[in-house]
Amino acid sequence: MRLIIFSPRMAKAIFSSPFRPSPRNFSTVCRKPISGANFSFSVVFHRESSASMFMPARSVSALRALSYMQGRSGLQLSKCLSSISSPAASTLDWNDAVSGSEVDNRVAMEELEEEDDEIGDAPNTSIPVRAFFFSTSVDLRSLVEQNKQSFIPPSSRMTNYVVFRFGDLKPDPNGSGSSLGGNDCCYMVVFQYGSIVLFNVRDHEVDGYLKVVERHASGLLPEMRKDEYEVREKPTLNTWMEGGLDYIMLQYLNIDGIRTIGSVLGQSIALDYYVRQVDGMVAEFTDINRGMEKTGTFTMERKKLFQLVGKANSNLADVILKLGLFERSDIAWKDAKYAQIWEYLRDEFELTQRFASLDFKLKFVEHNIRFLQEIMQNRKSDFLEWLIIILIGAEILISVYDIAHKSSITSL
């Protein structure tokens, strides 16, 4: 690239050196976009009435060179001739005058663009996370006994889950010591209420880990529930964490992060199962109400109604007691960083809103159960009343017959 500069005293400066801006930065200077342009420069120039002047021998952009020249009195850029090796090899001419404020503004814009490019180019690692719910109970003690070599001792008082690590964890060059990025190591978090959360497990290996837990599970479900999420590691992230659509980005993922993320995903996938159970009860009562609307009556055995009562009560108890939906994680209590992750994921998966919806549906079921119980009780009361009336009537008939029989005997 060659820049020809003319001063009021007809001094001339020629610029040449290696400079590699991005195409959009070069288009900012020349006002004509060029794709694939690669060039760089350093600056050397002089005036007839003074000693030679030079720019420091370092890598600078074209805009910064222009800013440097603009700050020197007596220099004015009048023409820029560029010979650039690019796919569309061309020569650009620029004859517009450039003011100092315009150059300064463009320099500031270029610096921001360079910073964005540096952040955008920073490497990040994607870690797949899969959550499953296929049983209502898991014997954690027997599971730990058979997998002692992979068991990670707990760091808190929480006893409703265990964590296993499979594979060797390579040391992290960034210093975190436990990053999953680029490792074959994987983690499995198993909860007593039946949820399993897998970190960094390949698709073809999922069934093998689930079978390890299935041997110690009870109350297997006819259909397994599953969900997927993603954790991204980015050591150059300015903040500790950053949320996104179906993913969370962290500076690094360690065992405390795995426990925190796993606890929320385990609750979410289990809550989804209980919500569907309650939805089934709501649909059943809806059908009964529609039948009553058409016929004015309903047919249901008392045993079936009691089963629905027990199912509704057990679902609510499991959500509150087993899932610990309103119990804060001990790790989140101790460290604000993990509290931030815990709160963000609870908002992301809408645990509070989903429980409120579940509670509303259970109240609807409870109202219908109470209504049907009252109808059944009234039916039973009506039956007993009619039975009493029949018995009284029979007694009266017997008494009348007895009186008539005695009268006939007396008359004889």
Side-chain angles (χ1 to χ4, degrees), residues 124-127 129 199 229-234 237 240-253 257 260-261 265 337-338 340-346 348-349:
N124 56 72
T125 305
S126 175
I127 300 171
V129 184
F199 289 80
Y229 198 62
E230 181 184 3
V231 178
R232 299 179 183 178
E233 289 182 314
K234 188 174 183 181
L237 193 64
W240 159 243
M241 62 147 286
E242 182 178 302
L245 183 60
D246 290 335
Y247 75 89
I248 183 173
M249 185 177 292
L250 306 175
Q251 291 179 351
Y252 60 89
L253 179 64
T260 305
I261 296 173
L265 266 65
K337 294 192 301 183
Y338 301 105
Q340 185 180 2
I341 296 176
W342 186 78
E343 292 173 357
Y344 170 78
L345 290 178
R346 283 181 64 89
E348 177 73 11
F349 288 94

Side-chain angles (χ1 to χ4, degrees), residues 165-368:
R165 181 175 64 200
F166 301 92
D168 297 328
L169 187 63
K170 300 177 182 178
D172 182 32
N174 296 319
S176 62
S178 58
S179 172
L180 287 179
N183 277 279
D184 294 331
C185 177
C186 60
Y187 288 84
M188 180 173 67
V189 186
V190 184
F191 295 86
Q192 188 176 13
Y193 53 79
S195 290
I196 303 172
V197 183
L198 302 176
F199 289 80
N200 203 34
V201 176
R202 297 181 179 89
D203 293 338
H204 64 278
E205 298 176 345
V206 170
D207 292 338
Y209 290 103
L210 294 180
K211 289 180 180 179
V212 172
V213 183
E214 187 176 356
R215 303 187 187 101
H216 309 274
S218 59
L220 296 177
L221 306 178
E223 182 181 0
M224 180 175 62
R225 309 296 309 170
K226 60 182 178 179
D227 193 11
E228 294 185 358
Y229 198 62
E230 181 184 3
V231 178
R232 299 179 183 178
E233 289 182 314
K234 188 174 183 181
T236 59
L237 193 64
N238 294 330
T239 59
W240 159 243
M241 62 147 286
E242 182 178 302
L245 183 60
D246 290 335
Y247 75 89
I248 183 173
M249 185 177 292
L250 306 175
Q251 291 179 351
Y252 60 89
L253 179 64
N254 58 9
I255 185 62
D256 286 338
I258 289 172
R259 288 190 173 102
T260 305
I261 296 173
S263 64
V264 178
L265 266 65
Q267 290 175 343
S268 176
I269 192 66
L271 182 61
D272 182 63
Y273 164 76
Y274 290 110
V275 168
R276 291 181 178 272
Q277 290 291 305
V278 176
D279 287 342
M281 289 188 286
V282 170
E284 190 168 354
F285 280 110
T286 301
D287 293 338
I288 293 174
N289 291 328
R290 287 176 179 172
M292 291 177 62
E293 181 182 1
K294 294 179 180 179
T295 62
T297 184
F298 77 97
T299 56
M300 175 182 284
E301 296 180 0
R302 183 177 293 271
K303 180 180 178 181
K304 177 65 174 177
L305 183 61
F306 286 159
Q307 288 177 341
L308 291 175
V309 172
K311 188 176 182 180
N313 293 335
S314 63
N315 283 337
L316 183 59
D318 288 344
V319 171
I320 296 177
L321 299 178
K322 285 188 176 181
L323 269 63
L325 202 61
F326 298 101
E327 296 179 7
R328 190 179 182 90
S329 170
D330 287 349
I331 299 174
W333 273 112
K334 296 177 182 178
D335 196 326
K337 294 192 301 183
Y338 301 105
Q340 185 180 2
I341 296 176
W342 186 78
E343 292 173 357
Y344 170 78
L345 290 178
R346 283 181 64 89
D347 292 338
E348 177 73 11
F349 288 94
E350 300 179 345
L351 293 187
T352 303
Q353 294 87 337
R354 288 162 63 190
F355 175 79
S357 176
L358 175 68
D359 186 52
F360 177 80
K361 293 174 182 177
L362 284 174
K363 288 181 179 178
F364 171 79
V365 171
E366 180 183 358
H367 173 75
N368 281 269

Side-chain angles (χ1 to χ4, degrees), residues 381-396:
S381 299
D382 293 341
F383 171 76
L384 293 175
E385 289 175 359
W386 281 107
L387 181 60
I388 292 172
I389 292 172
I390 292 173
L391 291 175
I392 293 174
E395 185 179 0
I396 293 172

Side-chain angles (χ1 to χ4, degrees), residues 45-107:
F45 61 91
H46 72 279
R47 292 187 294 194
E48 292 179 357
S49 60
S50 64
S52 298
M53 302 176 62
F54 64 94
M55 290 281 289
R58 58 191 176 95
S59 178
V60 295
S61 65
L63 286 177
R64 289 175 182 169
L66 294 176
S67 177
Y68 179 85
M69 291 184 296
Q70 197 69 22
R72 302 300 184 196
S73 60
L75 289 179
Q76 181 180 0
L77 176 63
S78 63
K79 190 172 184 180
C80 173
L81 299 177
S82 304
S83 298
I84 305 166
S85 176
S86 66
S90 60
T91 300
L92 303 179
D93 292 336
W94 179 27
N95 296 318
D96 296 337
V98 181
S99 63
S101 60
E102 185 178 357
V103 171
D104 292 339
N105 292 336
R106 291 178 183 174
V107 170

